[in-house]
């Protein structure tokens, strides 16, 4: 994966490059590599030209299943590879976490209100999982446990031992796909809420939508 200069800077906490390597550490060594470039292209064409001039066999990609408004067909259809994702084996961090015997990982926070549920609805949804014997374990920005808030390694381990993941269209939805088959990822969205191409693809692949939520 080739990163332009801009893709290495910024982020919510000013640690975007550090976050890239934290994500990379979730994968088996030697399967994914990052190549950093001190270059910011004007457009996609200049980016590909820059890489090819350096002898790097990079290809632009697109999403054929749900193309964006200005998308054009490219050699590489990335959506094909997102439909059957090999599950990762998480690092054993059981000594760092006190997890329940039966639980679901949960993540509601989102940068956009349109992607999540009202607070009372979230509580009602989680009550349904409790009735089925599953304790909610919050991960991400609203987690009380610092490890489940700030460490992707610990969040990955928690997900790998959970029965389901319960959440919204967010970065943690994508992370859940690394540890759960699609049918065990339960997504929630307001009836008229925004549905990204990521969410639509997830539903096509077998994720459940609004299992315990009826937005009337």
């Amino acid at each position: 994966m080739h990163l332009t200069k801009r893709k290495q800077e910024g982020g919510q906490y000013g640690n975007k490059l550090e976050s890239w390597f934290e994500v990379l550490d979730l994968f088996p060594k030697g399967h994914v590599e990052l190549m950093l470039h001190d270059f910011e292209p004007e457009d996609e064409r200049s980016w590909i030209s820059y890489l090819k001039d350096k002898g790097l066999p990079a290809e632009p990609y697109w999403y054929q299943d749900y193309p964006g408004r200005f998308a054009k067909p490219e050699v590489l259809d990335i959506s094909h590879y997102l439909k059957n994702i090999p599950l990762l084996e998480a690092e054993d961090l059981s000594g760092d976490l006190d997890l329940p015997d039966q639980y679901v990982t949960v993540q509601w926070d989102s940068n956009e209100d349109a992607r999540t549920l009202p607070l009372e609805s979230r509580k009602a949804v989680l009550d349904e999982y409790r009735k089925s014997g599953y304790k909610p374990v919050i991960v991400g920005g609203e987690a009380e446990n610092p490890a489940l808030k700030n460490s992707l390694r610990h969040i990955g381990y928690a997900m790998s031992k959970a029965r389901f993941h319960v959440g919204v269209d967010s970065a943690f939805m994508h992370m859940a796909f690394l540890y759960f088959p699609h049918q065990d990822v339960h997504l929630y969205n307001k009836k008229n809420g925004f549905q990204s191409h990521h969410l639509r693809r997830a539903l096509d692949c077998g994720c459940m939508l609004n299992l315990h939520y009826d937005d009337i």
Side-chain angles (χ1 to χ4, degrees), residues 134-151:
Y134 300 111
K135 184 175 180 179
V137 172
I138 308 298
V139 300
E142 296 179 342
E144 295 182 1
N145 185 323
L148 295 179
K149 181 175 183 178
N150 301 312
S151 170

Side-chain angles (χ1 to χ4, degrees), residues 136-205:
V137 172
I138 308 298
V139 300
E142 296 179 342
E144 295 182 1
N145 185 323
L148 295 179
K149 181 175 183 178
N150 301 312
S151 170
L152 295 186
R153 293 167 54 242
H154 289 81
I155 294 170
Y157 175 75
M159 286 183 169
S160 74
K161 300 301 179 183
R163 179 62 186 89
F164 302 108
H165 176 72
V166 177
V168 295
D169 180 2
S170 70
F172 284 97
M173 174 186 76
H174 295 282
M175 186 170 175
F177 296 153
L178 302 178
Y179 300 99
F180 297 89
H182 281 96
Q183 64 268 22
D184 290 342
V185 177
H186 297 178
L187 300 173
Y188 289 85
N189 182 264
K190 295 175 185 175
K191 183 176 181 180
N192 295 316
F194 174 73
Q195 291 196 2
S196 72
H197 68 98
H198 300 295
L199 177 59
R200 294 178 182 181
R201 184 177 305 108
L203 299 181
D204 289 347
C205 290

Side-chain angles (χ1 to χ4, degrees), residues 10-194:
Q12 185 176 1
Y13 302 105
N15 63 339
K16 182 177 285 188
L17 186 56
E18 179 184 337
S19 296
W20 276 112
F21 285 104
E22 187 180 8
V23 171
L24 200 64
D25 282 342
L26 299 176
F27 292 85
K29 302 298 182 185
H31 284 68
V32 184
E33 288 187 57
L34 297 182
M35 293 194 69
L36 311 180
H37 300 272
D38 189 23
F39 175 75
E40 189 56 43
E42 296 180 1
D43 51 31
E44 187 75 4
R45 180 176 296 179
S46 63
W47 176 226
I48 297 300
S49 295
Y50 163 85
L51 293 172
K52 289 187 174 181
D53 287 345
K54 288 187 169 293
L56 299 169
E59 296 288 351
Y61 67 85
W62 77 312
Y63 298 97
Q64 185 177 24
D65 54 356
Y66 292 104
R69 181 180 177 186
F70 300 107
K72 63 177 183 177
E74 298 288 358
V75 173
L76 180 59
D77 170 23
I78 204 70
S79 63
H80 170 76
Y81 297 95
L82 300 176
K83 294 178 180 178
N84 186 18
I85 303 173
L87 300 185
L88 296 184
E89 183 176 344
E91 177 184 358
D92 185 355
L93 297 171
S94 54
D96 297 347
L97 297 171
D98 183 18
L99 295 169
D101 291 333
Q102 295 191 93
Y103 65 95
V104 296
T105 52
V106 179
Q107 188 260 337
W108 294 117
D109 54 307
S110 171
N111 292 331
E112 300 179 38
D113 289 341
R115 294 179 186 243
T116 191
L117 302 185
L119 183 59
E120 289 304 313
S121 297
R122 299 181 205 174
K123 293 179 179 178
V125 166
L126 295 185
D127 281 344
E128 294 301 316
Y129 288 97
R130 290 188 182 96
K131 291 176 185 177
S132 298
Y134 300 111
K135 184 175 180 179
V137 172
I138 308 298
V139 300
E142 296 179 342
E144 295 182 1
N145 185 323
L148 295 179
K149 181 175 183 178
N150 301 312
S151 170
L152 295 186
R153 293 167 54 242
H154 289 81
I155 294 170
Y157 175 75
M159 286 183 169
S160 74
K161 300 301 179 183
R163 179 62 186 89
F164 302 108
H165 176 72
V166 177
V168 295
D169 180 2
S170 70
F172 284 97
M173 174 186 76
H174 295 282
M175 186 170 175
F177 296 153
L178 302 178
Y179 300 99
F180 297 89
H182 281 96
Q183 64 268 22
D184 290 342
V185 177
H186 297 178
L187 300 173
Y188 289 85
N189 182 264
K190 295 175 185 175
K191 183 176 181 180
N192 295 316
F194 174 73

